[in-house]
Amino acid sequence: MFIDEAIIKVIAGNGGDGCTAFRREKYVAMGGPYGGNGGHGANIRFSVDTGLHTLIDLRYMKLIKGEKGANGLGKNQNGKGREDVIVKVPQGTVITDMDTGLIIADMKNVDDSVIVAQGGRGGRGNTAFKTQNNPCPTFSENGEPGEVKILKIELKLLADVGLVGLPSVGKSTFLS
């Protein structure tokens, strides 16, 4: 079956939350803040695959969702950022945002790759807010949400062969 158009929803991953932690050890005076930052969420990336010739995979995949970044931990441990979600599309694909009507990408070259939805930035832990006036902050940031978009994916194709002739000479009969 040949499919040349699909409408999908993409949700990039949210950023991880920062951590509020404090250093409390027996022989360490004035321990202070000790919370790490959250990791970044997964981006949604479209990439050209020369082995594909149709959008049949995207026709039945209505939602593509990225993973959330890991939260920050104590001992100044930053959360893990997530890898991009890569969606393979054939060469000649046009990606359009349904809300704005803008063309995001025209994937006409073999090595084209584009991020269509940006993942959220991770929140900062309480160590990042330490200043001279506030040496022990008791707050941290939440991670930012990832982008949500509804996309229309279209496949542009050029015919390999054209059939030209006068009217009523049997072109349709020849094709059938």
Side-chain angles (χ1 to χ4, degrees), residues 16-22 33-39 70-80 123-127:
D17 298 334
C19 178
T20 302
F22 301 97
Y34 216 34
N37 301 332
N71 295 335
L73 301 173
K75 297 185 181 177
N76 279 336
Q77 295 177 6
N78 293 338
K80 183 177 181 182
R124 295 179 289 177
N126 66 338
T127 305

Side-chain angles (χ1 to χ4, degrees), residues 7-10 96-99 148-152:
I7 295 176
I8 60 172
K9 182 176 184 178
V10 293
T96 308
D97 190 351
M98 292 288 287
D99 295 333
V148 177
K149 292 185 179 179
I150 298 174
L151 303 175
K152 181 177 182 180

Side-chain angles (χ1 to χ4, degrees), residues 130-141:
K130 181 179 178 183
T131 62
Q132 188 173 2
N133 294 336
N134 187 7
C136 194
T138 59
F139 58 90
S140 59
E141 271 184 336

Side-chain angles (χ1 to χ4, degrees), residues 19 31 44 53 59 64 79 97 108 117 122 124 146 150 155 161 163 173 175:
C19 178
I44 307 295
H53 301 293
R59 177 67 168 227
I64 298 172
D97 190 351
K108 55 187 172 186
R124 295 179 289 177
I150 298 174
L155 183 59
V161 176
L163 196 57
T173 306
L175 289 176

